Amino acid sequence: MIKNAMYFGKRDLYNLIKRVGGEWNDTKDRPIFCCIESLEHKGLYWAIPVGNYNHRDASAKRRINNFINLPPENIASCYYHIGQTTIKSIFFISDVIPVIDKYIERGYINNYTASIHIVKNKTLISELENKLKRILAYENSNPNFFR
C-alpha cells in the first residue's frame, strides 16, 4: 500500500472485522483511504472508509455537517470530514479500520490518470491525520467506543 492512496478492501477484511467483534454493516463497494501507517506494526495502515457526499440526502448532509461544525474540543467533531478525492467525498473517520496488503483487493483508479488515486492536497491530508489521531487516541483510552 501507498500512504495517502485509495483502495478497495477484500470481502475477507470486512468478514474479519465482524469475526473479531467489530461492526461492518456497509454493503457498498466503498473505497478506503490509507491515512497513517501504524508505529507498532510496519505495513499496517489505518484506513478511512470514503463515500460520495453527493449521494447523501439533505437530512444526511445536515447531520454530517452538524458533527463537523461541533466545537473542536468535542471528539464528535472528528467523526467525519468532507474533502475532494476524484469527487466531493465524505470521510468516515470514526469508522477507521486497520488494514494490511493481504486484505487489499484493488486500487481506486483515478479516471484522469488511469492509476491509483493518491490524495495530494496537503491541507486535506493534515486535517484527516489530525482528526484520525484524535479518534485513535480516544479509542485507546475508551476501548470499544467506536464500531
Side-chain angles (χ1 to χ4, degrees), residues 12-111:
D12 291 351
L13 171 62
Y14 308 117
N15 291 334
L16 175 63
I17 290 168
K18 290 179 191 177
R19 274 197 315 273
V20 299
E23 200 175 314
W24 191 271
N25 300 323
D26 196 346
T27 57
K28 298 177 192 82
D29 194 20
R30 186 180 304 285
I32 54 177
F33 170 68
C34 293
C35 189
I36 297 175
E37 187 172 12
S38 169
L39 298 174
E40 295 87 12
H41 305 284
K42 185 144 180 67
L44 183 143
Y45 283 84
W46 290 102
I48 302 169
V50 181
N52 186 329
Y53 182 77
N54 293 320
H55 286 175
R56 305 293 178 266
D57 63 22
S59 173
K61 288 178 181 177
R62 265 192 312 278
R63 188 175 81 68
I64 290 165
N65 282 301
N66 283 340
F67 277 105
I68 290 171
N69 292 317
L70 288 170
E73 59 274 5
N74 187 329
I75 190 64
S77 69
C78 297
Y79 289 2
Y80 303 101
H81 193 81
I82 298 168
Q84 189 72 26
T85 58
T86 57
I87 56 173
K88 187 173 184 178
S89 298
I90 177 75
F91 293 82
F92 300 93
I93 302 170
S94 61
D95 287 339
V96 65
I97 56 173
V99 66
I100 58 174
D101 282 331
K102 171 182 174 180
Y103 293 103
I104 295 297
E105 184 173 302
R106 68 188 189 284
Y108 176 84
I109 303 301
N110 181 318
N111 292 331

